[in-house]
Amino acid sequence: MCSVKSSKAIEALSLVKLSEPCQLVVLISGNGTNLQAIIDACAARTFPAKVAAVISNEPAAYGLQRARDAGISTHVIDHRKFDRRTEFDGRLKNLIDTLEPGLVVLAGFMRILGFDLTEHFLGRMMNIHPSLLPDYPGLNTHARVLADGMNEHGASVHFVTSELDAGPIILQKRIPVQPNDTPSTLAERVHQCEYEIYPRAIAWFATGRLHLKTSIAYLDGAPIKA
Ligand code: GRF
């Protein structure tokens, strides 16, 4: 006979089963280890999201193979085939719209997106960045952190706006910088942070706990402070 507790648990499980997972479109340019962490998280029966498709601007990105191995459809839009950035953005926007995702996830996507595209997906596009934003936007974050003698570093998930790496912060994880750290040892530890915080932020969004409203990210109705 089922106890009250276990029948409630069964009810909760069937609710999770009944509600549709949030469909993700993940944009990559390279190795795709964050994509892999997201695919792995989505494999859990109770995870509220599913990777519906992966898009890369780099035909040789290894992340495309990771997607194929997981049975996820892949698309390539090679930025070199477009004369103007706006044409590339337009093609990307149309493809994503066709796929009708609940959330667009940038995971090591190395193209700067223009205003029209970021406005179109405002509040439903996230990025992961290897620094404690607003510090160290842009490239080579690990080397710059070391050159500045910082004693802390980390990773940030944020909503995407038209300003590079400057959208409202959703979640960060910090790590201490060790005296013998190199850019590659730091990169490795920051990656581990990313694999933890990105799926968590996606799950918040997918369950309706996370919103962007008037340039502020809210979790459970309260503004998120970096
Ligand atoms: C990550 O460090 C991410 O923060 C940055 O690009 C890197 C992508 O790595 N935007 P991977 O392709 O997910 O391995």
Side-chain angles (χ1 to χ4, degrees), residues 30-35 107-110 127-130 142 191 194-195:
N31 191 3
T33 60
N34 275 283
L35 166 67
F109 184 66
M110 303 306 284
N127 183 39
I128 185 124
H129 182 76
H142 314 302
H191 259 120
E194 295 180 340
Y195 308 152

Side-chain angles (χ1 to χ4, degrees), residues 77-126:
I77 303 180
D78 186 343
H79 60 279
R80 298 172 199 86
K81 296 196 170 149
F82 297 82
D83 290 336
R84 293 165 206 269
R85 191 182 290 273
T86 49
E87 286 167 15
F88 170 77
D89 279 10
R91 173 82 184 86
L92 186 58
K93 175 171 164 279
N94 289 342
L95 173 59
I96 299 172
D97 278 346
T98 312
L99 297 164
E100 298 185 332
L103 179 66
V104 184
V105 176
L106 308 189
F109 184 66
M110 303 306 284
R111 302 300 299 168
I112 293 175
L113 299 172
F115 181 82
D116 286 353
L117 190 139
T118 55
E119 277 299 295
H120 183 73
F121 293 110
L122 193 64
R124 50 195 182 108
M125 182 183 267
M126 283 181 194

